[in-house]
């Protein structure tokens, strides 16, 4: 699980990162709301831990912006502001939970686990992904387009699932390497391009409307017209 820490206090951010890494999570740090917004938009994270009071852009503005873009990644809001009205504002701005500073790390851990359980539960309940007339049954791993079955190899299936889960958003080569191949470095090969080409042949070639698009200089986009 990947967690984004958005916190301008360097020491607090580093201590939190060390604690999360010790629990087996992967984490990254953004130093202010603008940097947090940019990193959150990458789609690489399962959870955001967001401080409210930050320079350049505060945490609530960051959350409201992301929720306005239909980004539903769960967010745990951290703040020294603990009054009822402030907690309500944090939740209404897009936070899924609110923890007042100073906090016990064990409580933060429990709240993170609870939020991630909700995500896993939602993923289990979702059994079919669809983009236009393209469908992927997550239980049978069967892919169809306009009712016609498409046979894909395991890696192509994993690639398609990731693209479908991020339909309508540009995914970069780095995002694909990390989430489809589990590479956290650039292997300096054309493995992504080769698999994208094969996948495009399978899901687009025999159909009148393309779904898989290349966004020059940015990455790839799966969307229905």
């Amino acid at each position: 699980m990947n967690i984004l820490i958005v916190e301008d206090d360097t020491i607090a951010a580093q201590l939190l990162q060390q604690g999360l890494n010790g629990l087996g999570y992967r984490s990254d740090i953004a130093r202010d709301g603008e940097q947090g917004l940019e990193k959150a938009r990458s789609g690489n994270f399962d959870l955001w831990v967001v401080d409210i009071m930050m320079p350049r852009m505060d945490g609530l503005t960051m959350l409201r912006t992301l929720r306005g873009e239909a980004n539903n990644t769960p967010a745990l809001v951290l703040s020294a502001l603990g009054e009822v009205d402030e907690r309500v504002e944090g939740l209404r701005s897009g936070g899924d939970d609110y923890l007042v500073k100073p906090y016990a790390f064990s409580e933060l851990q429990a709240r993170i686990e609870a939020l991630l359980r909700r995500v896993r539960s939602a993923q289990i309940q979702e059994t079919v992904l669809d983009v236009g007339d393209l469908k992927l049954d997550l239980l049978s791993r069967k892919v169809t387009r306009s009712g016609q079955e498409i046979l894909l190899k395991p890696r192509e299936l994993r690639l398609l699932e990731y693209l479908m889960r991020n339909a309508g958003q540009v995914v970069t080569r780095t995002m694909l390497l990390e989430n489809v191949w589990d590479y956290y470095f650039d292997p300096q090969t054309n493995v992504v391009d080769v698999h994208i080409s094969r996948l495009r042949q399978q899901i687009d070639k025999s159909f009148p409307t393309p779904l898989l698009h290349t966004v020059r200089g940015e990455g790839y986009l799966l969307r229905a017209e």
Side-chain angles (χ1 to χ4, degrees), residues 1-104:
M1 289 288 184
N2 295 333
I3 297 177
L4 175 63
I5 302 165
V6 189
E7 168 67 77
D8 65 313
D9 185 318
T10 301
I11 294 176
Q14 289 176 345
L15 288 173
L16 180 52
Q17 184 177 50
Q18 289 172 9
L20 293 175
N21 290 352
L23 295 172
Y25 298 111
R26 292 189 293 267
S27 59
D28 192 10
I29 296 174
R31 302 298 182 184
D32 56 57
E34 286 190 2
Q35 190 178 65
L37 182 65
E38 180 181 352
K39 291 192 175 188
R41 281 172 169 162
S42 73
N44 285 341
F45 301 98
D46 303 289
L47 176 75
W48 310 320
V49 178
V50 183
D51 187 34
I52 289 182
M53 304 299 292
M54 292 183 293
R56 298 178 67 192
M57 178 186 290
D58 64 86
L60 298 188
T61 300
M62 170 192 153
L63 287 175
R64 283 192 292 266
T65 302
L66 289 163
R67 297 313 188 211
E69 297 171 356
N71 192 323
N72 295 317
T73 300
L76 172 59
V77 176
L78 302 180
S79 177
L81 307 174
E83 297 299 323
V84 171
D85 289 347
E86 291 155 348
R87 296 200 302 272
V88 169
E89 183 183 6
L91 296 171
R92 286 180 172 169
S93 295
D96 296 279
D97 199 356
Y98 193 106
L99 185 59
V100 179
K101 297 179 178 180
Y103 54 81

Side-chain angles (χ1 to χ4, degrees), residues 2-225:
N2 295 333
I3 297 177
L4 175 63
I5 302 165
V6 189
E7 168 67 77
D8 65 313
D9 185 318
T10 301
I11 294 176
Q14 289 176 345
L15 288 173
L16 180 52
Q17 184 177 50
Q18 289 172 9
L20 293 175
N21 290 352
L23 295 172
Y25 298 111
R26 292 189 293 267
S27 59
D28 192 10
I29 296 174
R31 302 298 182 184
D32 56 57
E34 286 190 2
Q35 190 178 65
L37 182 65
E38 180 181 352
K39 291 192 175 188
R41 281 172 169 162
S42 73
N44 285 341
F45 301 98
D46 303 289
L47 176 75
W48 310 320
V49 178
V50 183
D51 187 34
I52 289 182
M53 304 299 292
M54 292 183 293
R56 298 178 67 192
M57 178 186 290
D58 64 86
L60 298 188
T61 300
M62 170 192 153
L63 287 175
R64 283 192 292 266
T65 302
L66 289 163
R67 297 313 188 211
E69 297 171 356
N71 192 323
N72 295 317
T73 300
L76 172 59
V77 176
L78 302 180
S79 177
L81 307 174
E83 297 299 323
V84 171
D85 289 347
E86 291 155 348
R87 296 200 302 272
V88 169
E89 183 183 6
L91 296 171
R92 286 180 172 169
S93 295
D96 296 279
D97 199 356
Y98 193 106
L99 185 59
V100 179
K101 297 179 178 180
Y103 54 81
F105 185 77
S106 58
E107 182 179 4
L108 178 135
Q109 177 185 352
R111 289 174 182 265
I112 286 176
E113 290 171 351
L115 288 172
L116 291 176
R117 277 198 302 271
R118 293 182 209 169
V119 174
R120 285 192 289 266
S121 177
Q123 289 174 342
I124 289 171
Q125 293 172 9
E126 184 179 34
T127 59
V128 178
L129 300 176
D130 60 83
V131 178
D133 58 353
L134 179 67
K135 297 185 183 301
L136 167 58
D137 187 314
L138 297 172
L139 299 180
S140 68
R141 311 303 288 171
K142 180 179 178 180
V143 179
T144 60
R145 184 166 181 192
S146 294
Q148 178 180 329
E149 186 171 1
I150 298 172
L151 300 178
L152 297 178
K153 295 179 180 179
R155 186 71 68 178
E156 294 166 351
L157 266 172
R158 188 172 175 183
L159 174 59
L160 178 62
E161 179 179 348
Y162 184 77
L163 290 168
M164 294 184 79
R165 288 191 183 278
N166 292 276
Q169 302 179 46
V170 175
V171 296
T172 66
R173 187 172 184 273
T174 298
M175 291 166 64
L176 293 174
L177 286 171
E178 291 182 355
N179 292 281
V180 179
W181 279 267
D182 297 319
Y183 289 163
Y184 292 89
F185 62 94
D186 189 340
Q188 300 297 316
T189 71
N190 65 343
V191 62
V192 172
D193 308 283
V194 169
H195 281 77
I196 285 286
S197 178
R198 289 176 182 169
L199 183 61
R200 183 178 278 126
Q201 288 286 317
Q202 295 283 68
I203 68 172
D204 279 344
K205 185 177 180 182
S206 301
F207 302 92
T209 305
L211 298 177
L212 182 53
H213 307 271
T214 299
V215 182
R216 189 178 298 275
E218 296 186 42
Y220 304 97
L221 173 66
L222 186 72
R223 72 175 179 202
E225 296 297 336

